[in-house]
Amino acid sequence: DFLFFWGTVFLITTTLVALLKKENKELTPTKEETKGITDTYRLLFSIIKMPAVLTFCLLILTAKVGFSAADAVTGLKLVEEGVPKEHLALLAVPMVPLQIILPLIISKYTAGPQPLNTFYKAMPFRLLLGLEFAFLVWWTPKVKHEGGFPVYYYVVVLLSYALHQITLYSMYVAIMAFNAKVSDPLIGGTYMTLLNTVSNLGGNWPSTVALWLVDPLTVKECAGAQEQTCGTTVAAEV
């Protein structure tokens, strides 16, 4: 129902934009960024060859490795330990107003000459929250009882997620502000898209690797079969 409702809203709004919004044909751009796809990629290649851009790309591609496991695996592990998926999904609802308000607050600190200050100040707190998430996963089976989980457990999870959102958005808004600040105005769209794409990739590949490593790094024991090992997927199935 949730997906159906927002899918309908999305279709209606985009259709209205397509029908009612008209391009201003009188105003022509003073200078085109590029003339075609080939020129765009040639321009991107020339940007990424710049030493400062290359160094920055390497930094943002590896900056999120430290908390990739906590971000990608915590929710799955909580479900594995018996936390109902619908309860975790419900906890996302109070996060929505927080996600709207946080960029407005954080943007005040990233509007200055050094927006990345906010990025690196938030990093140690986000790393510490990774340890807190690990503790949360360890604590989950301890508080489980026949009726499910107590209310205070969900309060702790909600507070943990809220703190995580603060550090996440602090880093996200800071990196977006920096990308906007350093992009050349003449080729701003191409420049910013490149940096934002690399930034997004820097968050996605560590999460993918973390998820892939969960199974081989998980220690398994066989209950009631001392001679049987459960080290591999095949052995666990046997």
Side-chain angles (χ1 to χ4, degrees):
D1 291 345
F2 178 84
L3 291 172
F4 180 78
F5 173 77
W6 287 112
T8 306
V9 171
F10 181 82
L11 285 170
I12 291 168
T13 51
T14 49
T15 304
L16 288 171
V17 169
L19 294 173
L20 303 176
K21 178 66 180 171
K22 303 297 179 187
E23 293 291 343
N24 192 344
K25 293 178 181 178
E26 292 177 10
L27 293 173
T28 53
T30 52
K31 183 178 179 180
E32 289 185 9
E33 286 185 14
T34 49
K35 293 176 182 177
I37 295 171
T38 310
D39 288 341
T40 304
Y41 279 100
R42 195 176 289 126
L43 181 62
L44 285 170
F45 188 67
S46 64
I47 292 168
I48 210 162
K49 280 198 300 183
M50 294 161 65
V53 175
L54 194 60
T55 305
F56 178 66
C57 287
L58 289 171
L59 286 171
I60 56 175
L61 277 172
T62 54
K64 297 177 183 177
V65 170
F67 30 78
S68 57
D71 288 3
V73 184
T74 302
L76 297 172
K77 282 292 173 185
L78 292 180
V79 171
E80 194 179 282
E81 294 295 347
V83 181
K85 286 194 285 270
E86 57 271 23
H87 290 183
L88 281 179
L90 203 62
L91 290 176
V93 176
M95 294 294 113
V96 174
L98 188 68
Q99 289 166 351
I100 296 168
I101 295 163
L102 277 174
L104 296 172
I105 298 168
I106 297 161
S107 60
K108 294 177 183 177
Y109 301 96
T110 58
Q114 296 178 315
L116 280 184
N117 280 359
T118 308
F119 183 91
Y120 71 71
K121 282 176 183 174
M123 185 173 275
F125 293 103
R126 195 168 170 188
L127 288 167
L128 285 171
L129 276 169
L131 293 175
E132 199 270 337
F133 277 0
F135 169 77
L136 193 65
V137 171
W138 171 83
W139 184 54
T140 299
K142 313 282 184 190
V143 294
K144 188 181 180 183
H145 52 75
E146 288 182 7
F149 293 88
V151 175
Y152 67 83
Y153 171 78
Y154 288 111
V155 171
V156 171
V157 173
L158 187 64
L159 287 171
S160 300
Y161 274 30
L163 289 170
H164 178 258
Q165 288 294 312
I166 292 168
T167 56
L168 187 150
Y169 272 84
S170 295
M171 295 179 73
Y172 175 77
V173 174
I175 206 83
M176 291 297 119
F178 179 79
N179 290 348
K181 194 171 186 65
V182 299
S183 297
D184 188 337
L186 288 175
I187 50 168
T190 307
Y191 210 126
M192 263 196 79
T193 303
L194 172 67
L195 295 179
N196 290 344
T197 302
V198 175
S199 181
N200 291 334
L201 186 61
N204 290 334
W205 80 261
S207 297
T208 306
V209 172
L211 286 167
W212 181 75
L213 287 172
V214 167
D215 204 42
L217 291 176
T218 300
V219 178
K220 304 178 191 73
E221 292 178 3
C222 297
Q226 282 80 16
E227 294 179 5
Q228 181 69 30
T229 61
C230 293
T232 63
T233 307
V234 176
E237 286 174 0
V238 171

PDB file of all heavy atoms in Angstrom, residues 23-33:
ATOM      1  N   GLU A  23       9.531  24.986 -21.428  1.00  0.00           N
ATOM      2  CA  GLU A  23      10.895  25.513 -21.473  1.00  0.00           C
ATOM      3  C   GLU A  23      10.869  26.963 -21.936  1.00  0.00           C
ATOM      4  O   GLU A  23      10.062  27.332 -22.807  1.00  0.00           O
ATOM      5  CB  GLU A  23      11.756  24.677 -22.439  1.00  0.00           C
ATOM      6  CG  GLU A  23      12.009  23.248 -21.982  1.00  0.00           C
ATOM      7  CD  GLU A  23      12.905  23.155 -20.770  1.00  0.00           C
ATOM      8  OE1 GLU A  23      13.605  24.143 -20.455  1.00  0.00           O
ATOM      9  OE2 GLU A  23      12.906  22.098 -20.116  1.00  0.00           O
ATOM     10  N   ASN A  24      11.760  27.770 -21.381  1.00  0.00           N
ATOM     11  CA  ASN A  24      11.876  29.168 -21.807  1.00  0.00           C
ATOM     12  C   ASN A  24      12.815  29.225 -23.012  1.00  0.00           C
ATOM     13  O   ASN A  24      14.032  29.154 -22.876  1.00  0.00           O
ATOM     14  CB  ASN A  24      12.419  30.015 -20.649  1.00  0.00           C
ATOM     15  CG  ASN A  24      12.293  31.500 -20.935  1.00  0.00           C
ATOM     16  OD1 ASN A  24      12.091  31.915 -22.077  1.00  0.00           O
ATOM     17  ND2 ASN A  24      12.426  32.306 -19.903  1.00  0.00           N
ATOM     18  N   LYS A  25      12.237  29.320 -24.187  1.00  0.00           N
ATOM     19  CA  LYS A  25      13.019  29.261 -25.426  1.00  0.00           C
ATOM     20  C   LYS A  25      13.713  30.592 -25.757  1.00  0.00           C
ATOM     21  O   LYS A  25      14.605  30.641 -26.595  1.00  0.00           O
ATOM     22  CB  LYS A  25      12.124  28.848 -26.589  1.00  0.00           C
ATOM     23  CG  LYS A  25      11.624  27.408 -26.459  1.00  0.00           C
ATOM     24  CD  LYS A  25      10.703  27.015 -27.590  1.00  0.00           C
ATOM     25  CE  LYS A  25      10.220  25.587 -27.411  1.00  0.00           C
ATOM     26  NZ  LYS A  25       9.271  25.176 -28.464  1.00  0.00           N
ATOM     27  N   GLU A  26      13.289  31.656 -25.104  1.00  0.00           N
ATOM     28  CA  GLU A  26      13.874  32.967 -25.372  1.00  0.00           C
ATOM     29  C   GLU A  26      15.291  33.077 -24.812  1.00  0.00           C
ATOM     30  O   GLU A  26      16.150  33.735 -25.389  1.00  0.00           O
ATOM     31  CB  GLU A  26      12.991  34.062 -24.762  1.00  0.00           C
ATOM     32  CG  GLU A  26      11.651  34.196 -25.460  1.00  0.00           C
ATOM     33  CD  GLU A  26      10.765  35.234 -24.790  1.00  0.00           C
ATOM     34  OE1 GLU A  26      11.269  35.971 -23.905  1.00  0.00           O
ATOM     35  OE2 GLU A  26       9.580  35.318 -25.146  1.00  0.00           O
ATOM     36  N   LEU A  27      15.498  32.427 -23.647  1.00  0.00           N
ATOM     37  CA  LEU A  27      16.816  32.492 -23.024  1.00  0.00           C
ATOM     38  C   LEU A  27      17.696  31.371 -23.556  1.00  0.00           C
ATOM     39  O   LEU A  27      17.381  30.202 -23.403  1.00  0.00           O
ATOM     40  CB  LEU A  27      16.688  32.365 -21.496  1.00  0.00           C
ATOM     41  CG  LEU A  27      15.987  33.524 -20.767  1.00  0.00           C
ATOM     42  CD1 LEU A  27      15.788  33.175 -19.314  1.00  0.00           C
ATOM     43  CD2 LEU A  27      16.807  34.805 -20.888  1.00  0.00           C
ATOM     44  N   THR A  28      18.774  31.731 -24.193  1.00  0.00           N
ATOM     45  CA  THR A  28      19.725  30.729 -24.689  1.00  0.00           C
ATOM     46  C   THR A  28      20.996  30.810 -23.848  1.00  0.00           C
ATOM     47  O   THR A  28      21.430  31.901 -23.467  1.00  0.00           O
ATOM     48  CB  THR A  28      20.088  30.997 -26.168  1.00  0.00           C
ATOM     49  OG1 THR A  28      20.531  32.353 -26.291  1.00  0.00           O
ATOM     50  CG2 THR A  28      18.879  30.758 -27.065  1.00  0.00           C
ATOM     51  N   PRO A  29      21.604  29.686 -23.535  1.00  0.00           N
ATOM     52  CA  PRO A  29      22.819  29.712 -22.712  1.00  0.00           C
ATOM     53  C   PRO A  29      23.953  30.452 -23.415  1.00  0.00           C
ATOM     54  O   PRO A  29      24.127  30.335 -24.632  1.00  0.00           O
ATOM     55  CB  PRO A  29      23.156  28.224 -22.533  1.00  0.00           C
ATOM     56  CG  PRO A  29      22.421  27.509 -23.616  1.00  0.00           C
ATOM     57  CD  PRO A  29      21.221  28.316 -23.921  1.00  0.00           C
ATOM     58  N   THR A  30      24.719  31.220 -22.644  1.00  0.00           N
ATOM     59  CA  THR A  30      25.816  32.002 -23.215  1.00  0.00           C
ATOM     60  C   THR A  30      26.938  31.102 -23.722  1.00  0.00           C
ATOM     61  O   THR A  30      27.585  31.397 -24.704  1.00  0.00           O
ATOM     62  CB  THR A  30      26.390  32.968 -22.161  1.00  0.00           C
ATOM     63  OG1 THR A  30      26.701  32.235 -20.975  1.00  0.00           O
ATOM     64  CG2 THR A  30      25.366  34.051 -21.813  1.00  0.00           C
ATOM     65  N   LYS A  31      27.132  30.005 -23.002  1.00  0.00           N
ATOM     66  CA  LYS A  31      28.187  29.081 -23.430  1.00  0.00           C
ATOM     67  C   LYS A  31      27.781  27.657 -23.089  1.00  0.00           C
ATOM     68  O   LYS A  31      27.443  27.352 -21.952  1.00  0.00           O
ATOM     69  CB  LYS A  31      29.504  29.426 -22.721  1.00  0.00           C
ATOM     70  CG  LYS A  31      30.667  28.543 -23.179  1.00  0.00           C
ATOM     71  CD  LYS A  31      31.965  28.921 -22.514  1.00  0.00           C
ATOM     72  CE  LYS A  31      33.084  28.011 -22.972  1.00  0.00           C
ATOM     73  NZ  LYS A  31      34.364  28.335 -22.354  1.00  0.00           N
ATOM     74  N   GLU A  32      27.782  26.792 -24.078  1.00  0.00           N
ATOM     75  CA  GLU A  32      27.427  25.399 -23.819  1.00  0.00           C
ATOM     76  C   GLU A  32      28.603  24.685 -23.167  1.00  0.00           C
ATOM     77  O   GLU A  32      29.766  24.939 -23.485  1.00  0.00           O
ATOM     78  CB  GLU A  32      27.079  24.695 -25.139  1.00  0.00           C
ATOM     79  CG  GLU A  32      25.765  25.149 -25.734  1.00  0.00           C
ATOM     80  CD  GLU A  32      25.388  24.337 -26.967  1.00  0.00           C
ATOM     81  OE1 GLU A  32      26.064  23.327 -27.235  1.00  0.00           O
ATOM     82  OE2 GLU A  32      24.431  24.720 -27.643  1.00  0.00           O
ATOM     83  N   GLU A  33      28.256  23.802 -22.241  1.00  0.00           N
ATOM     84  CA  GLU A  33      29.307  23.032 -21.564  1.00  0.00           C
ATOM     85  C   GLU A  33      30.018  22.126 -22.568  1.00  0.00           C
ATOM     86  O   GLU A  33      31.229  22.138 -22.690  1.00  0.00           O
ATOM     87  CB  GLU A  33      28.695  22.165 -20.452  1.00  0.00           C
ATOM     88  CG  GLU A  33      28.279  22.943 -19.224  1.00  0.00           C
ATOM     89  CD  GLU A  33      27.796  22.018 -18.124  1.00  0.00           C
ATOM     90  OE1 GLU A  33      28.029  20.805 -18.226  1.00  0.00           O
ATOM     91  OE2 GLU A  33      27.203  22.509 -17.167  1.00  0.00           O
TER      92      GLU A  33
END
